[in-house]
Amino acid sequence: MAMKKKPVTGMKDILPKEMEIRDYVISQIKETYTTFGFSTIETPCVEHIENLSSNQGGENEKLIFKIMKRGDKLTASVPKANEDANVLADSGLRYDLTLPLSRYYANNANDLPSPFKALQMGNVWRADRPQRGRYRQFMQCDIDILGEPTILAEIELITATTTLLGKIGFEKFTIRLNNRKMLKAMAAYCGFDEKDYDNVFITLDKMDKIGMEGVAGELEEQGYPTENIRKYLTLFEKTTDDIDGVEFLKDTLGDFLEPGVAEDLETIMKSVSVTKSADFKIVFDPALVRGMSYYTGPIFEISMDEFGGSVGGGGRYDEMIGKFTGQNTPACGFSIGFERIVMLLLEKDYQIPSKDEKTAYLVEKNMPQDKMLEILKRANEHRANGRQINIAIMKKNKKFQKEQLEKEGYTVFEEFYADSFR
Amino acid sequence: MAMKKKPVTGMKDILPKEMEIRDYVISQIKETYTTFGFSTIETPCVEHIENLSSNQGGENEKLIFKIMKRGDKLTASVPKANEDANVLADSGLRYDLTLPLSRYYANNANDLPSPFKALQMGNVWRADRPQRGRYRQFMQCDIDILGEPTILAEIELITATTTLLGKIGFEKFTIRLNNRKMLKAMAAYCGFDEKDYDNVFITLDKMDKIGMEGVAGELEEQGYPTENIRKYLTLFEKTTDDIDGVEFLKDTLGDFLEPGVAEDLETIMKSVSVTKSADFKIVFDPALVRGMSYYTGPIFEISMDEFGGSVGGGGRYDEMIGKFTGQNTPACGFSIGFERIVMLLLEKDYQIPSKDEKTAYLVEKNMPQDKMLEILKRANEHRANGRQINIAIMKKNKKFQKEQLEKEGYTVFEEFYADSFR
């Protein structure tokens, strides 16, 4: 078989320039989230196929990279593969970090503090149709607070994330906030059946793209009563994106809304905006759905005009860990769109602050051993003090060599010749 | 299907305590190797099955986690799977970082400097039999210099790695050095046929475990002439582990040894030991083999008494990139045993230097909103100055809660009550 030079379809080689930005963002993430008391953890990239196919992952479950059984187990499964090829796989690559985190917490709760504040950075894989800017392997970065039932979790997650974004130069972004319970209360108030909620929300989720009338049109096509739809739309029209909007819905929905839901939304909005250090706003968005069905309470998303879409989001999922343990554990998480953030920073040619000077030593070819030793010694002494020194054998076209090194960021050059150290 | 709490066989969840050490080692690796002019890069974890099965990986190729084709391609392959189950896979998880690096360089050489100094840290996967301390997913950390034909590459790789080990507290370790060409010259001198070299070296590689007489016994069992074996053993007995040893072999082997090989070994040894900043020694080990057949020149390994085995190694592999491009490119790499190093640090309860003080705020339950806002503000101000602050709702058993937090490293506690801030 011939060797292939390109990466596998939909995955990419990351060049040094992009890696510098990635490494910088990663260091800022670790530093910032650490100040909020989060601890880094790691879960294996490979997960049980049973867990990946447990209906927690929504559409992502269709995109799993499946890993084949090995040895005798594979041989035994092959004859059954004609009926269902899934029998050939015993595991797969994780498609997100939330499911592995829940398994991790279920497996290790005895050795973890409560509440537990976890920071997880790692690759996930989805066999999506390849398209510009979307890859089949990409990095996710999640913070989660497990075991904290109060909205202190939501407030800390949102504050930590907005602080991070501010530090790496983003501003004027928007945090959109809602609650799955508010979504449901609105649907109930307008006369939709509980069994139809998920379907109605899938349509509502398109509001950004098709507008309110578009949503109305689709709901009508699907055969829901016109009366319900009109009532639903009016509700959205009348609701403002601030605390008054939450108050309005609280008054309007009455008993359809669980007690405390509106108050919690207000407290989150107020706490985040009063204590904020970055330049952003937090708004109430009653049309915010978030795809995953596992959310049980507050949900939130970051919007950036520069990106024209979400660059992160999360929410409360109090019932997922219970799927592993049989006992529900409060859980709330925020995932930032690491790849999108890196893309935005690359696009605006972001300059990493306070980068150290880089020095290149150009050493004449065939330098005598004793002089070479002097050069190596000198370099190592400077390196021990944290200076960045690249030793290179001088090329015939020294001018071109220097230009290339300048492209890599080298600004200081020292030349060494056999006859004398100039 | 029931959800599974344990990680998949042979892989592990990493708890915060271990992650702290891992993160620290990673930061030291990045920092140290950067001062030597290495740039971080990343390759996808998934690699073409053709590349993974190209005989570059030796025994590792038997341990590949294979990824199933998807959709129509899978359906089309299933009927042929009875003959050869391999037709079901189109890719697999990488088993090392060297093969992906070679593909990466072949794919991106036009956008990379020459020589190119790469730092790659990432997980690799091997479906090995699970055993204590060995996992099926583990982190590798490689530095490679591509495009540098002189031994400046070897010297820089060894110096960078020993500097790193010194920084994270290791001392009295040994760098063992040899050259594949020296190995071959010794075998030729003793009368072994070229076709038998690989086989002879596999036996020689067991010297550490079975001793010189053991090696002799195995070689005799395999039917090699006693005369050759005796000559071979005498050569090893007479060769010292210093520059004199290299000189002795140079004189003895004469024309069997390619010109320059001995001189290069001497220069590497001298350069590394004269310029070293850590406390270690570099020795000549004519019995050092290194498993992989792709090595073409100098090879080296780190031994630590505390570990009783290799904690890293590498060498020159000038012919691998040519497998992708048709044109050979000088290449030399050093891989440190990241997992072993982390294990050793955990075992000796390594204390990360200058860790910041961690503060916990204990907040009485149901704190009024206005007071909670003050607490959040105060925490965020301190966090902005880099302090680490964890806000926790006060539990009934406050003493126990504090003890738990102390285990997490919190040393400063502030308590907040609704009636007054004490």
Side-chain angles (χ1 to χ4, degrees), chain A residues 6 23 40 48 114 395, chain B residues 6 13 23 40 48 114 395:
Chain A
K6 297 267 166 222
D23 281 346
T40 56
H48 298 285
S114 174
K395 291 184 183 172
Chain B
K6 296 269 167 220
D13 289 333
D23 281 346
T40 56
H48 299 285
S114 174
K395 292 184 181 173

Side-chain angles (χ1 to χ4, degrees), chain B residues 38-231:
Chain B
F38 289 88
S39 306
T40 56
I41 65 154
E42 217 178 280
T43 57
C45 300
V46 179
E47 189 53 74
H48 299 285
I49 198 75
E50 294 87 343
N51 293 353
L52 293 174
S53 317
S54 60
N55 292 320
Q56 297 302 303
E59 290 296 300
N60 294 332
E61 294 196 359
K62 296 180 188 158
L63 308 174
I64 301 169
F65 281 98
K66 291 179 182 161
I67 295 176
M68 262 161 61
K69 291 176 182 172
R70 294 152 301 282
D72 294 344
K73 286 185 185 164
L74 177 63
T75 317
S77 301
V78 165
K80 303 173 208 154
N82 275 316
E83 280 162 55
D84 178 9
N86 287 320
V87 299
L88 297 166
D90 62 356
S91 53
L93 294 175
R94 61 186 178 197
Y95 52 74
D96 77 358
L97 299 178
T98 307
L99 182 88
L101 173 70
S102 298
R103 186 197 53 64
Y104 175 99
Y105 188 76
N107 188 35
N108 299 292
N110 287 338
D111 299 315
L112 297 172
S114 174
F116 179 50
K117 299 168 93 170
L119 162 60
Q120 213 186 156
M121 281 180 281
N123 284 314
V124 303
W125 292 262
R126 295 179 193 167
D128 238 326
R129 196 167 310 171
Q131 49 186 299
R132 204 189 145 274
R134 264 175 100 165
Y135 292 93
R136 289 178 159 195
Q137 168 178 318
F138 57 97
M139 175 101 149
Q140 277 202 337
C141 169
D142 286 15
I143 44 173
D144 293 85
I145 303 183
L146 309 177
E148 176 56 66
T150 79
I151 52 166
L152 176 59
E154 281 83 350
I155 294 168
E156 289 277 84
L157 290 172
I158 297 172
T159 306
T161 303
T162 52
T163 302
L164 167 72
L165 291 174
K167 270 197 196 169
I168 53 179
F170 289 101
E171 51 183 22
K172 309 226 180 293
F173 52 90
T174 303
I175 302 287
R176 290 152 65 212
L177 179 70
N178 196 10
N179 190 316
R180 292 289 293 193
K181 288 174 182 167
M182 182 65 90
L183 265 181
K184 287 180 183 174
M186 287 173 77
Y189 170 80
C190 298
F192 292 102
D193 283 347
E194 195 168 344
K195 66 169 173 43
D196 294 327
Y197 288 174
D198 279 344
N199 202 34
V200 170
F201 298 158
I202 288 172
T203 304
L204 180 63
D205 205 14
K206 302 180 187 166
M207 181 89 92
D208 273 357
K209 285 177 199 150
I210 61 177
M212 219 176 263
E213 286 308 316
V215 170
E218 270 202 23
L219 290 175
E220 256 168 66
E221 267 174 45
Q222 288 164 31
Y224 296 109
T226 313
E227 189 194 354
N228 298 0
I229 299 171
R230 280 300 127 198
K231 201 171 171 187

Side-chain angles (χ1 to χ4, degrees), chain A residues 1-20:
Chain A
M1 287 186 281
M3 306 282 268
K4 294 187 171 177
K5 279 163 70 170
K6 297 267 166 222
V8 297
T9 311
M11 303 194 192
K12 71 170 173 174
D13 289 332
I14 304 177
L15 293 173
K17 193 179 145 66
E18 179 175 339
M19 275 309 291
E20 261 189 67

Side-chain angles (χ1 to χ4, degrees), chain B residues 230-291:
Chain B
R230 280 300 127 198
K231 201 171 171 187
Y232 203 41
L233 290 206
T234 310
L235 210 52
F236 283 108
E237 275 162 8
K238 283 194 179 163
T239 307
T240 52
D241 72 355
D242 50 10
I243 287 181
D244 289 347
V246 179
E247 283 287 316
F248 164 74
L249 280 181
K250 184 185 157 192
D251 295 341
T252 309
L253 300 177
D255 286 348
F256 285 99
L257 188 65
E258 207 176 284
V261 170
E263 291 76 2
D264 278 356
L265 283 174
E266 291 175 21
T267 306
I268 296 171
M269 288 173 78
K270 203 161 169 185
S271 304
V272 168
S273 55
V274 168
T275 66
K276 73 182 180 184
S277 59
D279 176 16
F280 70 95
K281 63 180 182 194
I282 179 164
V283 303
F284 171 53
D285 181 356
L288 178 69
V289 173
R290 301 282 303 151

Side-chain angles (χ1 to χ4, degrees), chain A residues 115-217:
Chain A
F116 178 51
K117 300 169 93 169
L119 162 60
Q120 212 186 157
M121 282 181 281
N123 284 313
V124 303
W125 291 263
R126 295 179 194 168
D128 238 325
R129 198 167 308 170
Q131 49 186 302
R132 203 190 144 273
R134 263 178 101 166
Y135 292 94
R136 290 178 159 195
Q137 168 178 319
F138 56 98
M139 175 101 150
Q140 277 202 338
C141 169
D142 286 15
I143 45 174
D144 292 85
I145 303 182
L146 309 177
E148 176 57 66
T150 80
I151 52 166
L152 175 59
E154 281 84 349
I155 294 168
E156 289 277 84
L157 290 173
I158 297 173
T159 305
T161 303
T162 52
T163 301
L164 167 72
L165 291 174
K167 271 198 197 170
I168 52 178
F170 289 100
E171 51 183 22
K172 309 227 179 294
F173 53 90
T174 303
I175 302 287
R176 291 152 63 213
L177 178 71
N178 197 10
N179 189 316
R180 292 288 293 193
K181 290 174 180 165
M182 182 65 88
L183 265 180
K184 288 180 183 174
M186 288 173 77
Y189 170 79
C190 297
F192 292 102
D193 282 347
E194 196 169 343
K195 66 169 173 46
D196 295 327
Y197 288 174
D198 279 343
N199 203 34
V200 170
F201 298 157
I202 288 172
T203 304
L204 180 65
D205 204 14
K206 302 180 187 166
M207 181 90 92
D208 274 355
K209 285 177 196 148
I210 61 177
M212 219 175 264
E213 285 307 316
V215 169

Side-chain angles (χ1 to χ4, degrees), chain A residues 288-305:
Chain A
L288 178 69
V289 173
R290 301 280 306 151
M292 313 304 283
S293 58
Y294 56 63
Y295 288 120
T296 56
I299 46 179
F300 31 84
E301 213 166 271
I302 316 167
S303 299
M304 269 184 209
D305 287 345

Side-chain angles (χ1 to χ4, degrees), chain A residues 364-378:
Chain A
E364 198 182 16
K365 216 172 164 176
N366 301 320
M367 181 67 75
Q369 207 193 72
D370 57 333
K371 292 190 173 167
M372 191 66 200
L373 284 181
E374 285 307 311
I375 297 167
L376 289 167
K377 252 192 203 167
R378 187 198 292 210

